[in-house]
Amino acid sequence: MPLIDNYLLDNCAIDGPSLELESTLNGTLNIVAEDGVARNSPQNSYGKVKAIQVGYKGKYRVITVTNASTSLSSDCRIAVYVNGIYQGVSFVVPINTGSQTFEVTVNAGDSIEVWAYYTGGFSYNISRVTLYSSLAPVGKFTLT
């Protein structure tokens, strides 16, 4: 008969969730992280402007809000990356205020990142990023 070591954290699930929780986009979604500190878009190549490390695997929705001058005449884009890897969807930033919705599937511990750029002309700013999940709050924004 195997012995149980009563001092191991694994025996009591003190070192993490005892259930394998997974984020979904089904049902009511919770705001699990939100940041309203405006960041300007980097020029000429994509640059990371906001990031969050998630605690659970699964699907997340990211909604960004952008503000661009009516004089915007350059190519301006916004995209979501995971751990520095482009996820295949980007949006052209509209003149004035606009929002963009991304959905990503990640593993626990991954970093969901908002990247942006513009070429010439006027920059724009990312004024709000909101992360949605079926789970309770799961991360903390890291601003760069």
Side-chain angles (χ1 to χ4, degrees), residues 53-101:
Q53 185 176 15
V54 295
Y56 299 102
K57 70 178 181 180
K59 295 181 180 180
Y60 292 86
R61 180 170 295 145
V62 180
I63 297 180
T64 60
V65 176
T66 54
N67 295 296
S69 164
T70 56
S71 301
L72 189 68
S73 61
S74 58
D75 184 19
C76 300
R77 299 191 75 78
I78 189 165
V80 167
Y81 285 53
V82 174
N83 299 327
I85 300 170
Y86 177 62
Q87 296 302 295
V89 177
S90 66
F91 291 99
V92 172
V93 174
I95 293 174
N96 293 324
T97 301
S99 67
Q100 303 79 30
T101 301

Side-chain angles (χ1 to χ4, degrees), residues 1-5:
M1 174 179 258
L3 295 175
I4 295 179
D5 183 345

Side-chain angles (χ1 to χ4, degrees), residues 1-61:
M1 174 179 258
L3 295 175
I4 295 179
D5 183 345
N6 290 324
Y7 298 101
L8 280 177
L9 295 178
D10 288 340
N11 289 341
C12 300
I14 294 173
D15 60 343
S18 58
L19 299 174
E20 184 65 30
L21 297 176
E22 184 171 341
S23 174
T24 69
L25 296 177
N26 300 326
T28 302
L29 297 181
N30 301 302
I31 294 175
V32 295
E34 188 168 37
D35 180 64
V37 176
R39 298 283 182 211
N40 285 329
S41 57
Q43 188 172 9
N44 296 326
S45 64
Y46 273 111
K48 181 170 55 173
V49 291
K50 295 182 186 263
I52 182 172
Q53 185 176 15
V54 295
Y56 299 102
K57 70 178 181 180
K59 295 181 180 180
Y60 292 86
R61 180 170 295 145

Side-chain angles (χ1 to χ4, degrees), residues 92-116:
V92 172
V93 174
I95 293 174
N96 293 324
T97 301
S99 67
Q100 303 79 30
T101 301
F102 301 90
E103 292 181 356
V104 293
T105 301
V106 297
N107 292 310
D110 281 351
S111 175
I112 299 174
E113 305 157 354
V114 175
W115 290 56

